[in-house]
Amino acid sequence: MGLDQYAYRKTPETGEEGDSPAFWRKHAKLQTFMEHLYTARTGLDASNLNCGELRLEAADIDRLETATKAGTLPVCAGGGSACSRLNWSPRPIPGRLSLYGHQFQDEQAEAYRTHDLAFCAWARAEMQAGSTVIYSCWW
């Protein structure tokens, strides 16, 4: 069981799925960021994002870029939907991350930092060209 995440563009001409230059594997902090966006925007539970689509807006990319640069992407604290896809214990230990197999969220976020910032630049350019940028995930 795992969490796979990707982003792609939909072209203004056809609306078809286009390039997908961004792929992540078990990037818990990014997933938590995207799930917060999804629930705020749709009012739906974050579990509905599984194999779903989240249309990203320029302001979302700005916030993602700022949080990535500052190292303030939200922590997946256990018990939430993103955490369960990463094999979190159903009973988090207070004061300690209790993730099995992916307890290195900070290290993972740092490893993806350059990739995340490149994604932000790509997404911004695609939006300026009139494309829609979509985030999706599956577990």
Side-chain angles (χ1 to χ4, degrees):
M1 181 153 174
L3 172 66
D4 296 312
Q5 305 144 271
Y6 71 111
Y8 54 91
R9 69 179 171 95
K10 287 189 173 182
T11 61
E13 299 83 26
T14 66
E16 296 294 317
E17 185 174 323
D19 294 338
S20 180
F23 179 83
W24 301 267
R25 176 88 174 128
K26 293 188 177 184
H27 188 346
K29 289 185 170 190
L30 177 67
Q31 182 68 13
T32 302
F33 178 91
M34 294 297 182
E35 287 187 352
H36 289 172
L37 284 177
Y38 183 81
T39 57
R41 190 161 296 144
T42 66
L44 299 172
D45 185 81
S47 65
N48 290 298
L49 186 53
N50 181 33
C51 297
E53 292 186 338
L54 173 62
R55 180 182 176 177
L56 299 175
E57 300 171 359
D60 303 331
I61 300 303
D62 292 343
R63 284 192 298 277
L64 177 60
E65 181 178 56
T66 298
T68 299
K69 286 180 177 178
T72 58
L73 285 170
V75 173
C76 186
S81 55
C83 303
S84 64
R85 287 183 291 289
L86 297 170
N87 300 320
W88 280 90
S89 164
R91 289 182 283 272
I93 299 167
R96 184 176 141 219
L97 295 178
S98 55
L99 182 64
Y100 178 74
H102 190 71
Q103 59 270 44
F104 304 107
Q105 289 187 63
D106 292 332
E107 291 85 350
Q108 187 77 334
E110 185 58 34
Y112 273 121
R113 185 177 191 278
T114 300
H115 181 70
D116 293 349
L117 294 174
F119 163 69
C120 290
W122 172 84
R124 211 174 266 116
E126 288 297 328
M127 289 176 185
Q128 289 171 352
S131 293
T132 300
V133 176
I134 303 293
Y135 173 86
S136 189
C137 61
W138 65 92
W139 59 90

